[in-house]
């Protein structure tokens, strides 16, 4: 794969005790040194006009001034220093590079993966939260649509937390389909089944809040029964993955049971679904707070695109998840009309 990376993102210093810290990127780089076919690409930072396509200008100004004054705690979890402004623009720019590269034909072993931080999927239009300042995937999706490079973008968010920011930004937008597989009841407490979009965006949001303890069989079932048919019906030009690795069974801040091979399975299914839709796939880093599990997960995504066939669990999903899948399939506007 091609990985977008910049040392600028290391300067966003949240402190050694904060789970979202520069060691996350260092661990990923270290793990990838042991893999074949890894290429790194630097990208231009996002411009303020690109960021304000999805964020309120007043919020962007406030965030810039906050960093210029030395930063601090934006909220109890979301920390900034002076350098965070540049890191956030760089992280958004890397996501834009990934989307642009995918649509330009970079696929197969050249598939782009943006390794930016701070992450983005909790950032709403007018506020930072959950370690996130700019919504990287949203900035990238809106950029390619505004440029006329894509008519429709599908975003799959497999981070263990619901991407409330991405959902909110596109909730009434018919051009972006947002699908999230996340742990039910976890921060930020959004992402219920009945949150499926409104207005022009009715049916363009799909949430699968899974019970704690869900693992590979449950994620496989949700993807096969909900995400894949929804994406097929939506017919996107670009599939962006908000790729968090904190649903891993050994991640320190979740209760899910996804294995490293499970992330390989999801990656293979994303690739197949994108191919069937004639869409370009690209990946944008979100969460993941166990350094070993995070780096192994990113390396697994790379290995799948490098030709590895992931191990797929043959276990059946538990009854609670089968019931959830049936409920979503029967009630979701896009799936119900498919």
């Amino acid at each position: 794969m091609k990985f977008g990376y910049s040392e600028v993102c290391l300067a966003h210093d949240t402190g050694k005790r904060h789970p979202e810290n520069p060691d996350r990127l260092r661990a990923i780089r270290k793990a990838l040194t042991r893999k074949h076919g890894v290429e790194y690409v630097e990208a231009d930072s996002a411009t303020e006009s690109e960021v304000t396509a999805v964020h309120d200008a007043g919020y962007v100004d406030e965030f810039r001034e906050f960093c210029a004054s030395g930063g601090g705690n934006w909220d109890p979890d979301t920390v900034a220093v002076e350098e965070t402004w540049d890191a956030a623009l760089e992280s958004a720019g890397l996501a834009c590079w990934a989307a642009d590269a995918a649509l330009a034909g970079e696929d197969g072993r050249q598939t782009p993966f943006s390794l930016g931080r701070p992450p983005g999927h909790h950032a709403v239009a007018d506020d930072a939260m959950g370690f996130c300042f700019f919504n990287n995937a949203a900035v990238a999706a809106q950029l390619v649509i505004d440029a006329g490079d894509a008519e429709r973008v599908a975003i799959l968010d497999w981070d263990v937390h619901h991407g409330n920011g991405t959902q909110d930004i596109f909730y009434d937008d018919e051009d972006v389909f947002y699908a999230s597989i996340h742990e039910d009841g976890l921060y930020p407490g959004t992402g219920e089944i009945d949150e499926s979009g409104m207005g022009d965006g009715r049916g363009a949001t799909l949430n699968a809040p899974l019970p704690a303890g869900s693992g590979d069989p449950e994620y496989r079932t949700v993807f096969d029964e909900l995400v894949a048919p929804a994406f097929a019906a939506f017919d996107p030009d670009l599939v962006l993955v908000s790729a968090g690795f904190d649903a891993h069974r050994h991640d320190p801040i979740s209760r899910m049971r996804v294995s490293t091979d499970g992330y390989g399975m999801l990656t293979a299914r994303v690739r197949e679904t994108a191919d069937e839709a004639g869409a370009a796939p690209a990946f944008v880093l979100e969460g993941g707070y166990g350094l070993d599990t995070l780096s192994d997960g990113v390396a697994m995504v790379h290995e799948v695109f490098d030709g590895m066939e992931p191990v797929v669990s043959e276990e059946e999903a538990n009854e609670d998840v089968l019931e959830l899948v049936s409920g979503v399939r029967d009630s979701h506007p896009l799936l119900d009309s498919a």
Side-chain angles (χ1 to χ4, degrees):
M1 298 186 83
K2 284 187 175 180
F3 290 93
Y5 176 81
S6 172
E7 296 285 320
V8 172
C9 292
L10 298 179
H12 169 51
D13 185 2
T14 54
K16 291 185 177 181
R17 297 178 63 85
H18 197 285
E20 203 296 289
N21 63 67
D23 286 342
R24 298 176 67 237
L25 297 189
R26 296 186 181 107
I28 292 170
R29 286 287 299 256
K30 183 177 180 181
L32 291 174
T33 60
R34 301 188 291 270
K35 307 300 176 183
H36 297 288
V38 174
E39 181 179 347
Y40 291 102
V41 176
E42 292 191 6
D44 292 333
S45 298
T47 65
E48 286 194 44
S49 63
E50 289 167 348
V51 169
T52 54
V54 299
H55 289 289
D56 291 354
Y59 160 66
V60 174
D61 289 342
E62 183 182 4
F63 172 48
R64 186 200 308 106
E65 292 166 6
F66 183 74
C67 294
S69 66
N73 281 74
W74 184 276
D75 63 32
D77 298 317
T78 309
V79 180
V81 292
E82 183 177 353
E83 293 82 0
T84 299
W85 170 255
D86 288 337
L89 287 175
E90 184 68 23
S91 190
L94 288 167
C96 292
W97 159 79
D100 283 336
L103 288 166
E106 300 282 0
D107 57 11
R109 286 181 165 85
Q110 303 299 306
T111 299
F113 194 139
S114 163
L115 298 178
R117 62 176 290 276
H121 73 153
H122 292 308
V124 295
D126 61 354
D127 204 1
M129 59 182 291
F131 313 160
C132 305
F133 293 96
F134 294 146
N135 195 306
N136 304 318
V139 172
Q142 193 63 55
L143 174 68
V144 297
I145 290 172
D146 289 345
D149 296 326
E151 293 184 3
R152 290 176 300 279
V153 176
I155 299 174
L156 170 62
D157 190 335
W158 73 40
D159 191 280
V160 77
H161 304 93
H162 179 245
N164 60 298
T166 314
Q167 174 174 296
D168 288 356
I169 288 168
F170 295 119
Y171 203 58
D172 59 357
D173 192 326
E174 63 184 348
D175 299 325
V176 178
F177 188 98
Y178 175 72
S180 177
I181 311 173
H182 52 275
E183 182 179 332
D184 188 25
L186 204 60
Y187 178 91
T190 52
E192 298 297 329
I193 292 171
D194 60 359
E195 297 170 17
S196 58
M198 63 183 296
D200 291 341
R202 182 177 181 272
T205 296
L206 185 151
N207 285 303
L210 301 184
S214 296
D216 296 1
E218 289 73 35
Y219 276 72
R220 183 194 69 232
T221 299
V222 167
F223 190 96
D224 291 350
E225 298 296 328
L226 299 179
V227 176
F231 280 12
F234 185 71
D235 191 26
D237 303 302
L238 172 69
V239 174
L240 277 178
V241 179
S242 273
F245 296 88
D246 38 7
H248 195 283
R249 61 182 58 178
H250 297 308
D251 189 273
I253 66 172
S254 83
R255 300 169 293 174
M256 301 303 252
R257 301 290 299 165
V258 178
S259 69
T260 302
D261 282 320
Y263 284 111
M265 173 271 297
L266 287 171
T267 301
R269 276 161 159 74
V270 166
R271 182 183 59 190
E272 293 161 6
T273 300
D275 285 348
E276 290 170 1
F283 293 75
V284 177
L285 184 66
E286 297 288 358
Y289 304 103
L291 297 183
D292 290 339
T293 54
L294 168 63
S295 56
D296 287 347
V298 174
M300 174 60 75
V301 174
H302 166 72
E303 288 185 11
V304 169
F305 278 97
D306 199 41
M308 191 196 79
E309 292 291 333
V311 176
V312 178
S313 170
E314 296 181 358
E315 293 182 38
E316 294 295 323
N318 65 51
E319 288 298 324
D320 288 342
V321 171
L322 292 176
E323 183 176 344
L324 179 147
V325 166
S326 178
V328 174
R329 191 170 51 222
D330 292 342
S331 64
H332 191 275
L334 188 62
L335 294 174
D336 188 44
S337 62

